[in-house]
Amino acid sequence: VQLQASGGGLVQAGGSLRLSCAASGLSFSRYVMGWFRQAPGEERELVAGINWGGSRTYYTDSVKGRFTISRDNAKNTVSLVMNSLKPEDTAVYYCAARSGTDLGTPKYDYWGQGTLVTVSS
């Protein structure tokens, strides 16, 4: 299984970024997909999750209303659009895949390599 995240970079506070993750080696449409982040010195946290068909989503409280997760099962991709970015959003962002149906659990089966998002004040 490979999960290749891209789209990170440096952005000013208030700006936007779109992260993308290309998946291969798994039956993509059968997996819950999620985005995690880990800031320096912090634990990794689940930011957003989306179910198989894209009809249900989960967001951690700190990003609700600013981030949007979506998926394209035809292209085996999952995206995270991040608006109104804040310096505290600075972290390495990882996409991940898990079997099952729970969107809010941090227990995932497969992980990508991460992409760095830096938000300057």
Side-chain angles (χ1 to χ4, degrees):
V1 174
Q2 289 192 332
L3 301 173
Q4 184 72 36
S6 61
L10 174 64
V11 63
Q12 289 187 333
S16 299
L17 278 176
R18 182 185 181 97
L19 306 183
S20 295
C21 176
S24 61
L26 76 169
S27 296
F28 182 76
S29 63
R30 297 184 179 183
Y31 281 80
V32 167
M33 299 300 297
W35 285 95
F36 288 74
R37 67 185 178 187
Q38 187 167 21
E42 302 287 335
E43 292 187 356
R44 185 169 58 192
E45 68 167 336
L46 174 63
V47 174
I50 189 166
N51 73 330
W52 307 333
S55 61
R56 293 191 300 121
T57 56
Y58 163 87
Y59 299 96
T60 193
D61 285 345
S62 61
V63 308
K64 285 181 180 177
R66 300 189 297 123
F67 290 11
T68 302
I69 188 171
S70 62
R71 66 189 296 161
D72 185 336
N73 287 344
K75 296 182 178 179
N76 286 8
T77 58
V78 59
S79 298
L80 186 68
V81 174
M82 306 183 293
N83 296 320
S84 302
L85 283 162
K86 305 175 182 180
E88 51 263 43
D89 295 317
T90 295
V92 177
Y93 283 72
Y94 302 86
C95 66
R98 68 178 302 271
S99 57
T101 60
D102 191 346
L103 299 186
T105 177
K107 297 179 180 179
Y108 274 63
D109 302 315
Y110 303 106
W111 297 85
Q113 87 292 354
T115 185
L116 177 62
V117 172
T118 304
V119 184
S120 63
S121 58

